[in-house]
Amino acid sequence: MSNKILLAPIQGVTDYQFRNTYNKFFKGVDYMYSPYLRVDKDMQLRNSKVKDILPENNKDINLVPQIMTNKPEEFIYMSKLLFDKGYEHINWNLGCPFPMVTNRELGSGLLPHHNKIEDVLAKVLPVIPVKLSIKMRIGFEDEEEIFKILPVLDKFPVLEIIIHPRTGKQMYKGEVNTDVFEKCLALTKHKICYNGDINTLDDYNKLSSRFKTVKSWMLGRGLIANPFLAMQINQNDKDFSDNKMDIFREFHDILSEEYMKNLSGPSHLLNKMRVFWEYFSLSFTNSHKVYKRVKKATSISKYKIAVEQNCSSESWIA
Ligand SMILES: Cc1cc2nc3c(=O)[nH]c(=O)nc-3n(C[C@H](O)[C@H](O)[C@H](O)COP(=O)(O)O)c2cc1C
């Protein structure tokens, strides 16, 4: 398969422990994008964020670190820091929809201001030592903002533009606008990657047969819910394996052990694993019940019982 599969950045989920454990059990993902890095007022990055992108924590992973900023000096600082860590390609977040971010004209909050996007790129691209890709939505409030931004991006050497065809205001709800995505393909000279709501092999096949010129596909929540998805896409076969539950169970156990090593205390671990089960449960029969069992577990021993019940009394349906 010549198409590339990219793991989407999901803050709190696709961290280095997840990425490494995923790689031990599953194949099919070509590049993994880190959740965004952002500097504080004093131009400092949080230690936990730096840890997430350290090369020693990302061995055998094609990692693309993502940054979020609207200030050239921060952009240049983070680019140089990442280059010094060995990265040659970084990604700029123009998609985050959360008001705390967008109110500051960051993430998708920068999309209505194409002049600012142009200004930032004009200042940073001549001096940063790394190649840049951009991950964006089609607009903040208006679905057609992107039509004004793509001509701006055409002026610059951008490696790839990953488009999630929702507006920031939509958050993660409502339909993806594949018609706007289709129009974008004709309006840019850059390589475009599709991202959004690919949850099944069928979703991928429909989109990839509609957008034949698109060669890279970013998977997020669908891949967390069903870690086999990239392999199903690679082999064009949903049922390529008949022991998915056993493989999932082993993957889950190693993943929770990794977090046990790194997180302080049981409640931290339980909270972390609950987030995963919001996604995993979607691949089980009785997904509501599956999630509820985990959510109700108030100790590690109860959590283990819940996982055992989920994996032995339910079936893997994805
Ligand atoms: C909880 C959560 C956290 C996210 N964090 C990031 C992030 O740090 N950077 C980013 O570019 N996108 C982030 N995203 C967006 C995803 O990368 C992706 O664009 C979105 O979920 C749509 O793709 P999907 O339908 O395949 O999940 C996040 C999404 C969710 C649900």
Side-chain angles (χ1 to χ4, degrees):
M1 196 181 85
S2 62
N3 284 359
K4 298 278 181 241
I5 301 291
L6 282 42
L7 171 70
I10 299 193
Q11 201 76 244
V13 178
T14 63
D15 50 27
Y16 76 94
Q17 293 95 333
F18 172 83
R19 297 192 297 263
N20 285 299
T21 313
Y22 178 90
N23 260 358
K24 280 193 189 126
F25 288 87
F26 305 102
K27 292 193 182 72
V29 170
D30 298 288
Y31 296 92
M32 295 183 162
Y33 283 59
S34 83
Y36 67 80
L37 301 164
R38 199 173 142 189
V39 289
D40 62 19
K41 284 193 266 17
D42 305 318
M43 204 67 112
Q44 295 294 310
L45 284 165
R46 287 227 309 269
N47 273 342
S48 60
K49 291 289 181 183
V50 176
K51 199 170 169 189
D52 191 54
I53 55 89
L54 286 178
E56 58 265 39
N57 290 332
N58 291 282
K59 288 183 195 140
D60 306 322
I61 293 174
N62 286 326
L63 186 70
V64 180
Q66 185 185 64
I67 63 167
M68 183 194 280
T69 181
N70 55 13
K71 296 194 174 64
E73 59 280 15
E74 291 181 1
F75 206 126
I76 294 165
Y77 173 78
M78 287 189 276
S79 305
K80 289 189 170 159
L81 183 137
L82 291 164
F83 178 74
D84 289 343
K85 301 255 175 257
Y87 295 102
E88 290 173 359
H89 168 196
I90 68 167
N91 180 262
W92 188 23
N93 180 321
L94 290 180
C96 183
F98 292 105
M100 284 220 322
V101 162
T102 57
N103 287 343
R104 295 180 186 162
E105 295 186 358
L106 287 161
S108 65
L110 197 57
L111 296 175
H113 310 285
H114 54 90
N115 293 336
K116 283 193 185 159
I117 295 175
E118 178 160 8
D119 184 55
V120 171
L121 290 173
K123 288 187 172 129
V124 306
L125 279 172
V127 292
I128 59 174
V130 288
K131 296 197 176 87
L132 185 72
S133 63
I134 294 176
K135 180 165 180 282
M136 65 187 292
R137 293 189 177 227
I138 51 179
F140 177 56
E141 280 189 274
D142 171 355
E143 316 200 298
E144 305 205 339
E145 274 162 32
I146 194 163
F147 299 155
K148 293 198 182 117
I149 302 168
L150 291 174
V152 169
L153 301 184
D154 258 6
K155 298 182 192 170
F156 298 99
V158 172
L159 209 57
E160 181 165 53
I161 304 168
I162 301 160
I163 300 177
H164 174 199
R166 281 195 171 88
T167 60
K169 282 280 176 198
Q170 270 182 285
M171 304 291 288
Y172 294 100
K173 298 187 213 94
E175 296 288 305
V176 282
N177 192 331
T178 46
D179 293 336
V180 167
F181 179 83
E182 185 163 33
K183 286 189 190 149
C184 291
L185 296 176
L187 291 175
T188 179
K189 66 175 193 191
H190 292 305
K191 266 183 9 191
I192 297 291
C193 167
Y194 177 89
N195 165 242
D197 292 17
I198 300 179
N199 297 318
T200 62
L201 173 62
D202 204 36
D203 294 337
Y204 170 81
N205 281 338
K206 280 194 188 121
L207 287 163
S208 62
S209 52
R210 177 167 169 197
F211 303 125
K212 291 214 165 59
T213 57
V214 174
K215 299 290 172 208
S216 62
W217 301 84
M218 180 175 263
L219 313 178
R221 294 163 297 171
L223 188 79
I224 312 299
N226 171 21
F228 298 94
L229 183 58
M231 283 151 86
Q232 292 171 327
I233 289 173
N234 260 265
Q235 308 198 15
N236 196 18
D237 181 9
K238 177 178 178 284
D239 300 314
F240 72 98
S241 164
D242 52 14
N243 61 342
K244 289 191 197 131
M245 185 66 95
D246 294 340
I247 297 170
F248 167 78
R249 178 67 195 270
E250 255 190 87
F251 161 70
H252 164 276
D253 290 354
I254 303 285
L255 185 66
S256 54
E257 273 172 34
E258 285 303 313
Y259 288 124
M260 202 113 64
K261 280 190 230 156
N262 288 283
L263 296 176
S264 51
S267 63
H268 209 167
L269 175 72
L270 293 175
N271 286 338
K272 184 87 190 181
M273 296 314 296
R274 269 181 210 135
V275 173
F276 277 104
W277 278 96
E278 274 186 66
Y279 297 101
F280 295 156
S281 59
L282 302 173
S283 293
F284 283 72
T285 47
N286 293 313
S287 49
H288 187 65
K289 203 164 155 190
V290 163
Y291 179 55
K292 224 166 139 192
R293 283 195 191 107
V294 169
K295 211 173 151 202
K296 273 187 0 204
T298 49
S299 66
I300 303 281
S301 54
K302 286 183 181 147
Y303 173 76
K304 286 185 175 164
I305 293 169
V307 171
E308 173 59 31
Q309 278 180 335
N310 284 346
C311 295
S312 59
S313 61
E314 309 291 348
S315 305
W316 187 269
I317 51 170

